[in-house]
Amino acid sequence: MTNESGNQEGAAEDHVDRLRRLWARELPDLNTEPMAILGRAFRLGNMVRPSIEATFAGFGLDRGEFDVISTLRRSGSPYRLTPTEMYALLMISSGGLTHRLDRLEKAGLIRREKSAKDGRSVQVALTDAGAVLAEQAFRTDMASELAFLDPLDAGEREVLAGLLRKLILGIEADLQQRDEERGEPSPGRRGQGEV
């Protein structure tokens, strides 16, 4: 049996359950089910963000800088991308990317090179130091984030990952359709800061 916030009777209440219970009292006709999923996803992101940011800060990086070097590192050898490819992968403005590239180049983690194919265009290349740092930071981050999953067993993690994938694919398809209906180019995915 579930209560007014959608929680199983007798189960421990979390912050979202308490909010839903209060809203159910104030607006009993309103379906607050989105809070049970999207509200928790938002809260989860806010709860783990400080730990993730502290991990990257320990390597002298902010989240945006890590996003750049990790994007280059996971692109595979020779760890080079054009700025246009990076805009598409990172979903940031050209000004935002330029600022990050300037800082990373100054730190010796990336370099800008003229394209061998077209001398007028530039490629962003990860230096050896940048590749090592990207891998070290990513390994440390994954170990730290894995600890957050301790309350779930392996089967629960797999089910949750599958459900989140299904939800995200559905939302991405909906957003893409909306972009197409408005005649806007669809970025293919939304959001940034992906490991």
Side-chain angles (χ1 to χ4, degrees), residues 146-162:
L146 186 60
F148 287 123
L149 302 180
D150 281 347
L152 303 176
D153 65 34
E156 289 169 328
R157 293 176 191 184
E158 187 175 340
V159 168
L160 180 58

Side-chain angles (χ1 to χ4, degrees), residues 68-142:
V68 169
I69 64 171
S70 68
T71 296
L72 288 164
R73 176 62 179 85
R74 72 175 173 257
S75 72
S77 183
Y79 312 120
R80 286 181 176 81
L81 293 169
T82 66
T84 302
E85 290 168 327
M86 296 190 78
Y87 301 142
L89 292 168
L90 293 169
M91 297 296 297
I92 59 174
S93 69
S94 60
L97 179 60
T98 300
H99 184 63
R100 291 177 188 178
L101 294 178
D102 289 344
R103 291 192 314 249
L104 291 167
E105 190 168 37
K106 192 173 193 177
L109 301 175
I110 61 112
R111 64 181 173 274
R112 294 175 174 116
E113 302 174 340
K114 288 194 184 244
S115 171
K117 295 178 185 173
D118 177 4
R120 294 172 295 167
S121 63
V122 174
Q123 288 191 318
V124 179
L126 196 59
T127 64
D128 290 343
V132 168
L133 189 67
E135 183 175 335
Q136 289 175 337
F138 184 59
R139 287 181 181 279
T140 302
D141 178 51
M142 287 295 96

